[in-house]
Amino acid sequence: MSTSQIQEIHRLGKRPNTLRVLKEMEPYLHKKPFHERNGEHVYYLNSLGRDVIGSTKERKWSAEVIEHYLMRNDFFIYLGCPQTFQIEREIVFKIKEGLSYREENIRCDALYKREGVYHFLEVDRTQSMSENKKKIERYKKASEVIKKKFTQVPVIVFYTASKMRKVNIEKQLQRVGLKYEVYSREDI
């Protein structure tokens, strides 16, 4: 998380208080300046921090991956930090083919419920449009299964890096007839 995201999510008040808290947590964190966010620092757990909370998942520094996580955090904050927000959720569903079923899966960047309806979040920063098309097709299949099983139509949410990408993704979602929302950085 970036300094400002930690400040917002944990309601730490003004920036000096946030920096004081982060200073106290230094033994448990990696801290790096991140130029894509105007040099704001990004924090993630080191091995001692992972041990303290019982996590075995190690995050490696990669500007590409880090910005993806930060965009997901931005959207989480935009939504008001919903308690139902689950990151990197794998959705497994079965497609009927003749007399048998075939299992498919989708790993969404986050899954959350709003007003009782499932929302699947995809953070799109640099993904190729052909990959987005494939993913949208899988969501189309999953939506049909979810509609039958839960009698509701899920919402596919894309949060993307630019207005142009937003327009292209909206066209693809309209083409397949999914219930969707698309946001760009400028929107939030």
Side-chain angles (χ1 to χ4, degrees), residues 107-182:
R107 180 175 295 277
C108 58
D109 290 314
L111 168 68
Y112 60 96
K113 274 183 137 179
R114 192 167 62 202
E115 297 174 10
V117 177
Y118 287 105
H119 288 65
F120 299 98
L121 174 65
E122 287 297 325
V123 175
D124 171 69
R125 186 166 173 264
T126 58
Q127 180 97 286
S128 73
M129 281 302 154
S130 64
E131 282 300 313
N132 282 335
K133 287 178 188 178
K134 289 177 190 174
K135 191 166 266 193
I136 288 168
E137 290 296 334
R138 285 200 314 273
Y139 275 119
K140 174 72 172 165
K141 293 175 189 174
S143 291
E144 292 165 0
V145 172
I146 291 167
K147 184 179 179 181
K148 286 179 187 173
K149 187 171 183 174
F150 297 105
T151 64
Q152 65 170 260
V153 178
V155 178
I156 313 308
V157 180
F158 271 82
Y159 175 46
T160 189
S162 71
K163 290 273 189 194
M164 180 56 101
R165 292 184 73 81
K166 176 183 175 178
V167 169
N168 290 334
I169 291 168
E170 283 177 329
K171 286 178 186 175
Q172 293 304 316
L173 290 162
Q174 288 170 353
R175 181 182 59 81
V176 298
L178 288 170
K179 192 172 180 181
Y180 68 88
E181 297 172 6
V182 184

Side-chain angles (χ1 to χ4, degrees), residues 21 41 74 114 166:
V21 169
H41 285 95
D74 289 339
R114 192 167 62 202
K166 176 183 175 178

Side-chain angles (χ1 to χ4, degrees), residues 13-46:
K14 299 199 185 251
R15 190 161 181 87
N17 187 53
T18 303
L19 296 175
R20 181 191 57 78
V21 169
L22 289 167
K23 179 83 172 144
E24 290 174 12
M25 295 179 65
E26 271 182 5
Y28 310 102
L29 301 171
H30 289 295
K31 170 185 170 184
K32 295 204 182 238
F34 194 53
H35 301 294
E36 288 194 35
R37 297 254 173 162
N38 298 323
E40 186 174 19
H41 285 95
V42 171
Y43 298 84
Y44 57 104
L45 294 174
N46 61 24

Side-chain angles (χ1 to χ4, degrees), residues 82-115:
Q83 291 183 344
T84 61
F85 200 86
Q86 301 171 40
I87 63 169
E88 297 177 18
R89 185 71 191 270
E90 185 170 29
I91 311 303
V92 179
F93 56 97
K94 294 180 181 179
I95 303 292
K96 189 170 184 176
E97 290 182 336
L99 299 174
S100 63
Y101 288 90
R102 178 176 47 89
E103 210 171 76
E104 286 203 25
N105 68 333
I106 297 174
R107 180 175 295 277
C108 58
D109 290 314
L111 168 68
Y112 60 96
K113 274 183 137 179
R114 192 167 62 202
E115 297 174 10

Side-chain angles (χ1 to χ4, degrees), residues 68 98 159 184:
H68 185 86
Y159 175 46
S184 68

